Amino acid sequence: MRYVCLHGHFYQPPRENPWLDTIEVQDSAAPYHDWNARITAECYWPNAAARLLGHKDQITEVVNNYASLSFNFGPTLTSWFARHEPELLAEIVAADHVSRERHAGHGNAIAQAYGHAILPLATPRDQETHVAWGVREFVHRFGRAPEGMWLPETAVDVSTLETLAAHGSTFTILAPHQAKRVRPLAHADWRDVTADTVETRHPYLCRLPSGKQIVLFFYNAELARGVAFERLLDSGDHFRDRLTAAFRSDTDEPQLVHVATDGETYGHHHRFGEMALAFALRELERRGLVRVTNYGEYLALHPPQWEVEIHENTAWSCAHGVERWRADCGCHVGNEAGWTQQWRAPLREALNWLQALLDPLFEQQAAGLLRDPWAARNAYIDVLLERTPERMDAFFHQHATRGLAQQEKTLVLKLLEMQHHRLLMFTSCGWFFDEISGLESTQILRYAARAMEFAKPWLPTLEAEFVDRLSQAPSNVREVGHGGQVYVQHVKPARVDAPRVVANQAICRILEPSQCRDALPTLRMTQTDYEEDAYGTTALGVGRMTVSSQVTLEVQEFAFAVLKFSGHDVHCVVSARLVEEPYARTKAELLRIFSGHSLSEVVRALDRQFGDTYFTARDLVLDDRRRVLARVSEGVLERLEATYLQLYRENRRLMEYLYELDVPLPQGFTLAAGFLVNQSLSRAVATFADKGSDREAIEEVLAEAHKWRVPLSTGGVAQQLCHAVERHLTVLLTDPLNEHVVTAVHLLETAERLKVELNLWWAQTLFARLCHRHLRDLLSRRRYEEPVARQVTCLRQLGERLGFRAVEGIVLDSWESA
């Protein structure tokens, strides 16, 4: 009769550039590309393959926490997984399947309202869309209907609960301070409760004005606070004991001790928190003192015997109701002296004003094309989940008033995308943190900008009026000033229209002729013509390109010309006017002028034919800009290395003489030696990692480093070695008898020799998978096949170096005798 349920709310705000539908590099997430990538490495993957440790902290088992943990993933995060981490998403879905087998058909996964807006502050239509999209996204990912739904920030009012119930949710999870009063079912008298007095160990029925009802679980706030803020995850034993101590000993009634926190607590906020979680869950199950369950199963076994009324307009992360998302209520994250959040109210007011203009526009313009524009918006999630011609055809067949022409379909899709970004501009993170110029507030302003861009044909002055309203939102950063400046400095430069995309492709092509560039998720670029001429370091490329939007189905044709002066210095022009014969004449003329080797004449011709608007390397999208300019810088580094090498060779005899006399080298000599040694080390390790041979070259570099007393820069080397070990293990997954196992062992020995600390998490995960697939078969063949016996020995050595004591329940020491 004792049950434990731990819930993780896993969520990241949408971070994609709204024009590119990709996340651009975020320096604050270094050494990872962006925050999604970083938190995936620190939390989401570790919980899919959590380590259980034994003697001497050696790994004894690798487990998927999601199979034992109640959880929800924000839809904007799972859509990123689907594109960038499909294997992780498959592990999460598989864990839900496992949990359904354990819990009588009740899965651990529950849904989440789509855009993480504060639903009590949303209009009824927006509440409807966020919940409908959240349900549909869940069905798309998990292949079943959700039993419950997580509310963003647990922000709740009766209207929100009505919407959840209308869409089939049987329960949601709230903080204890959100309970107002309770009573046993069929009793007339209510009893007021507080966060300290409400009984959290059983569920409550909440009857709604419509006649519908929904079950509410109020989590144990003391335990949640311990997990999130009081380092309870420092010890798996302590975590387990705190959970079991939370039961009442004076009753035989069913009890549910349950905790809800941000899922990122387990690994990101608290390093190795996923291991404490895995240990506590395993110990609870092993000892049999409690049953680890999920909300759906517990509710089926023990329906509520009490009912509750809620405090409306409350949330788990604000002590002032939902004011954190519309006022300077005092809630904040940091402790910057003198900072306020007076910007929150003007930001909310500006976005509400924008919504009040965009929604009637959507309804008016879509009215003759869609049977019910708002029903179509609710159904548009199917297109967002899968932008295929078949899905779009089905959508138009269901919602269009008639067969639409291509231009009409494009118009409808633009209107729906306007609404899509209008919904995302209310993402709660935009108000949660302390400063309007932060990443999260800037991001929601970018969504607003994209929505206004779609509305521009009808409301051409909208953006200027919006920026003027943002000027009422004061920044805490003097150099920023106010929200209007945030928009000008950080939002407008992120805008990428079709001409800039064409210029981006053209500049990358002429600066990186041998590189293959990644396609943008929502744009298809087709080069229909291109010719290039070059002399010396200069070059001219002229071509045509078709840009097809996978979002709006709009197709545009552009001509372009790009002039490379030298290095990174380029001048690119783009035009939608030059087609067919005019394009052919222009192309011939430009190439003729270029052949005369007068760059000034070429620039004047570009201005005549294309106008005075041009693009340079500065206009490349951020990731391309950094990659291209880094590649250009490589030439400078090569010349620098040549200079150092010449200095080293010319002075080597003097350096050796000083060394023999025990005289410290002058700083210039040390700098030259250090640079050359580390460059040589990087190359030697790369060669060894690739071919698995020639360790002697590494030993020679180490001897040089020791001789000249120069420090080794091992950060890049560690990454090289890690990736190499992972590559060899990936081969072994499908070919377990491959000799790559020997190379992997040698690579780990080399890391030890270099005193390089490796992040072996992914290599360990691959090794556990390798053993899961092949170990028992290899052990059964070991006695009869000598090559298999040798491979088992090598695999054991690899496992030991990766920190394993046992895999698949078999201790490594026993592999050769098993």
Side-chain angles (χ1 to χ4, degrees):
M1 302 296 281
R2 292 186 169 193
Y3 300 80
V4 165
C5 178
L6 304 179
H7 183 85
H9 162 52
F10 295 94
Y11 163 75
Q12 289 301 305
R15 305 181 189 278
E16 287 79 4
N17 179 312
W19 291 271
L20 300 173
D21 199 27
T22 59
I23 301 178
E24 297 179 285
V25 63
Q26 296 175 315
D27 292 332
S28 58
Y32 297 92
H33 177 270
D34 55 74
W35 279 102
N36 279 18
R38 176 170 173 172
I39 299 173
T40 294
E42 294 177 348
C43 174
Y44 306 137
W45 259 121
N47 276 288
R51 279 66 169 141
L52 291 170
L53 303 183
H55 182 61
K56 294 183 179 179
D57 287 338
Q58 291 178 306
I59 300 168
T60 59
E61 193 173 355
V62 176
V63 299
N64 188 330
N65 280 344
Y66 301 117
S68 302
L69 178 73
S70 172
F71 64 85
N72 70 277
F73 275 89
T76 54
L77 180 56
T78 52
S79 66
W80 184 86
F81 286 162
R83 185 180 296 169
H84 299 281
E85 294 284 353
E87 192 176 356
L88 171 58
L89 183 57
E91 291 284 342
I92 294 167
V93 173
D96 181 65
H97 286 205
V98 170
S99 70
R100 291 169 67 187
E101 294 173 1
R102 292 179 181 174
H103 302 299
H106 301 280
N108 284 348
I110 67 172
Q112 180 201 290
Y114 185 82
H116 218 270
I118 300 302
L119 294 187
L121 298 180
T123 65
R125 277 191 179 129
D126 282 7
Q127 288 183 358
E128 172 81 13
T129 299
H130 279 295
V131 172
W133 284 14
V135 169
R136 186 69 192 91
E137 193 273 347
F138 184 92
V139 173
H140 179 76
R141 304 292 180 203
F142 291 93
R144 65 177 179 86
E147 294 184 77
M149 175 170 279
W150 179 267
L151 293 174
E153 303 293 340
T154 76
V156 70
D157 62 359
V158 169
S159 174
T160 300
L161 295 179
E162 288 275 18
T163 307
L164 262 60
H167 284 270
S169 289
T170 57
F171 68 86
T172 192
I173 307 157
L174 299 179
H177 72 264
Q178 295 177 275
K180 181 179 180 181
R181 58 181 188 169
V182 301
R183 66 182 178 186
L185 293 179
H187 281 60
D189 296 332
W190 290 94
R191 176 165 60 87
D192 292 342
V193 291
T194 66
D196 296 325
T197 61
V198 65
E199 175 57 74
T200 63
R201 285 169 283 237
H202 60 69
Y204 294 85
L205 186 70
C206 183
R207 304 182 196 274
L208 301 171
S210 66
K212 294 182 176 65
Q213 56 190 32
I214 190 168
V215 174
L216 304 181
F217 290 91
F218 297 94
Y219 63 80
N220 185 310
E222 182 180 356
L223 282 172
R225 187 165 52 250
V227 169
F229 305 113
E230 297 170 359
R231 307 198 65 83
L232 185 52
L233 296 179
D234 284 356
S235 166
D237 286 304
H238 189 38
F239 187 22
R240 174 204 60 206
D241 293 343
R242 284 284 301 275
L243 288 167
T244 55
F247 291 97
R248 289 177 55 183
S249 59
D250 59 350
T251 180
D252 293 328
E253 293 182 353
Q255 297 180 69
L256 175 68
V257 170
H258 60 112
V259 180
T261 64
D262 285 335
E264 291 75 20
T265 303
Y266 302 110
H268 172 59
H269 298 313
H270 295 280
R271 192 181 183 196
F272 305 127
E274 82 284 353
M275 295 170 65
L277 172 65
F279 178 85
L281 290 169
R282 176 55 56 89
E283 284 292 289
L284 289 170
E285 292 172 335
R286 185 181 67 82
R287 294 191 175 194
L289 299 176
V290 302
R291 175 171 172 78
V292 177
T293 187
N294 60 41
Y295 291 108
E297 181 189 47
Y298 186 85
L299 188 56
L301 294 173
H302 305 290
Q305 303 301 310
W306 289 69
E307 65 177 304
V308 66
E309 290 183 349
I310 61 167
H311 286 294
E312 293 198 75
N313 296 310
T314 55
W316 75 343
S317 53
C318 180
H320 315 93
V322 292
E323 298 308 298
R324 185 171 197 152
W325 298 276
R326 63 180 177 187
D328 184 11
C329 66
C331 291
H332 56 84
V333 175
N335 294 297
E336 296 285 348
W339 278 28
T340 73
Q341 284 69 55
Q342 294 177 9
W343 53 269
R344 284 176 177 161
L347 176 60
R348 171 69 62 176
E349 290 163 5
L351 292 172
N352 284 343
W353 170 83
L354 181 57
Q355 174 186 350
L357 293 173
L358 295 181
D359 284 4
L361 174 66
F362 168 71
E363 195 169 43
Q364 293 160 11
Q365 296 300 320
L369 303 171
L370 297 172
R371 294 189 183 98
D372 181 341
W374 299 110
R377 185 181 79 166
N378 287 346
Y380 187 56
I381 182 62
D382 289 334
V383 176
L384 294 176
L385 290 170
E386 194 175 346
R387 293 187 189 275
T388 62
E390 296 77 15
R391 186 61 64 92
M392 286 193 177
D393 287 344
F395 175 83
F396 282 115
H397 179 74
Q398 183 178 358
H399 295 283
T401 56
R402 51 182 169 75
L404 300 182
Q406 189 60 47
Q407 286 185 331
E408 292 175 314
K409 288 182 179 179
T410 293
L411 173 58
V412 167
L413 290 170
K414 286 183 175 182
L415 291 170
L416 287 165
E417 278 298 304
M418 178 182 75
Q419 281 295 309
H420 176 208
H421 290 88
R422 205 278 288 150
L423 288 165
L424 290 177
M425 75 187 188
F426 285 109
T427 301
S428 67
C429 305
W431 289 267
F432 188 87
F433 297 95
D434 296 349
E435 167 55 23
I436 192 171
S437 61
L439 285 176
E440 296 78 11
S441 301
T442 299
Q443 183 68 17
I444 66 170
L445 290 176
R446 289 178 175 178
Y447 288 125
R450 184 67 165 141
M452 288 187 288
E453 186 173 86
F454 286 116
K456 191 172 182 178
W458 303 280
L459 300 171
T461 64
L462 191 58
E463 184 178 50
E465 296 177 53
F466 181 69
V467 172
D468 185 58
R469 289 174 179 270
L470 286 178
S471 67
Q472 303 304 309
S475 167
N476 293 295
V477 181
R478 180 181 301 175
E479 295 77 11
V480 174
H482 53 74
Q485 285 299 104
V486 173
Y487 191 94
V488 171
Q489 295 171 9
H490 301 292
V491 176
K492 281 191 170 184
R495 179 178 286 134
V496 182
D497 58 10
R500 184 176 171 189
V501 169
V502 171
N504 194 87
Q505 295 292 97
I507 293 172
C508 286
R509 171 161 185 158
I510 206 163
L511 291 180
E512 299 179 307
S514 62
Q515 296 299 312
C516 181
R517 282 163 293 284
D518 294 335
L520 294 171
T522 58
L523 290 174
R524 180 175 297 145
M525 316 289 291
T526 306
Q527 193 165 272
T528 56
D529 183 58
Y530 186 74
E531 188 170 345
E532 186 176 313
D533 191 13
Y535 66 88
T537 60
T538 64
L540 174 70
V542 185
R544 292 179 64 187
M545 194 174 295
T546 301
V547 181
S548 304
S549 171
Q550 308 302 294
V551 175
T552 66
L553 304 182
E554 189 173 22
V555 179
Q556 297 172 277
E557 296 273 355
F558 294 94
F560 66 88
V562 55
L563 176 64
K564 174 188 172 186
F565 296 98
S566 63
H568 66 280
D569 194 4
V570 292
H571 182 97
C572 182
V573 288
V574 179
S575 173
R577 301 190 311 273
L578 292 174
V579 296
E580 302 303 337
E581 184 59 30
Y583 163 74
R585 288 197 305 270
T586 299
K587 171 184 166 183
E589 180 187 358
L590 290 174
L591 291 171
R592 179 186 59 79
I593 296 173
F594 181 77
S595 67
H597 298 182
S598 174
L599 297 185
S600 60
E601 287 296 324
V602 175
V603 172
R604 280 195 287 270
L606 292 176
D607 290 344
R608 286 197 306 271
Q609 299 294 343
F610 288 84
D612 56 6
T613 298
Y614 64 92
F615 301 90
T616 69
R618 184 186 298 273
D619 298 301
L620 291 173
V621 297
L622 184 57
D623 285 78
D624 285 344
R625 188 190 320 154
R626 293 194 174 185
R627 186 193 67 252
V628 166
L629 295 182
R631 199 175 302 277
V632 170
S633 301
E634 288 174 2
V636 177
L637 290 177
E638 289 172 2
R639 291 192 295 274
L640 179 62
E641 183 176 1
T643 301
Y644 275 138
L645 184 58
Q646 181 179 356
L647 176 67
Y648 179 72
R649 287 171 175 169
E650 291 175 351
N651 296 278
R652 182 179 177 89
R653 294 185 64 181
L654 173 61
M655 293 169 65
E656 289 178 341
Y657 182 66
L658 294 174
Y659 171 75
E660 291 170 2
L661 297 180
D662 197 25
V663 176
L665 291 180
Q667 186 179 22
F669 289 170
T670 304
L671 286 174
F675 182 85
L676 292 172
V677 163
N678 281 293
Q679 289 291 95
S680 299
L681 178 64
S682 180
R683 278 194 290 267
V685 169
T687 301
F688 178 64
D690 185 46
K691 299 179 180 179
S693 60
D694 197 20
R695 271 196 288 182
E696 293 78 10
I698 296 177
E699 293 297 331
E700 291 174 6
V701 174
L702 293 179
E704 286 286 293
H706 177 73
K707 181 176 182 178
W708 305 123
R709 302 173 187 175
V710 296
L712 293 175
S713 301
T714 56
V717 169
Q719 193 172 46
Q720 286 176 302
L721 291 171
C722 274
H723 289 167
V725 173
E726 292 161 8
R727 285 198 308 273
H728 294 300
L729 278 164
T730 301
V731 173
L732 291 167
L733 280 174
T734 54
D735 185 7
L737 295 177
N738 196 291
E739 62 184 16
H740 281 254
V741 64
V742 176
T743 306
V745 172
H746 288 167
L747 287 166
L748 293 173
E749 291 172 347
T750 300
E752 187 175 327
R753 174 76 178 88
L754 292 171
K755 296 182 173 59
V756 174
E757 184 175 346
L758 302 184
N759 179 356
L760 293 174
W761 187 89
W762 186 243
Q764 292 166 346
T765 301
L766 291 172
F767 183 78
R769 290 184 184 178
L770 164 66
C771 293
H772 178 73
R773 293 184 187 180
H774 303 293
L775 179 60
R776 295 184 187 280
D777 175 64
L778 293 174
L779 292 179
S780 69
R781 296 163 55 191
R782 180 190 60 79
R783 295 186 180 183
Y784 311 104
E785 301 178 44
E786 181 59 28
V788 175
R790 289 196 300 269
Q791 189 75 348
V792 166
T793 298
C794 292
L795 286 171
R796 176 185 58 77
Q797 293 171 349
L798 178 58
E800 289 172 348
R801 288 199 169 274
L802 289 172
F804 282 87
R805 175 173 173 75
V807 189
E808 294 294 300
I810 306 173
V811 177
L812 269 67
D813 290 344
S814 69
W815 282 15
E816 277 106 338
S817 60

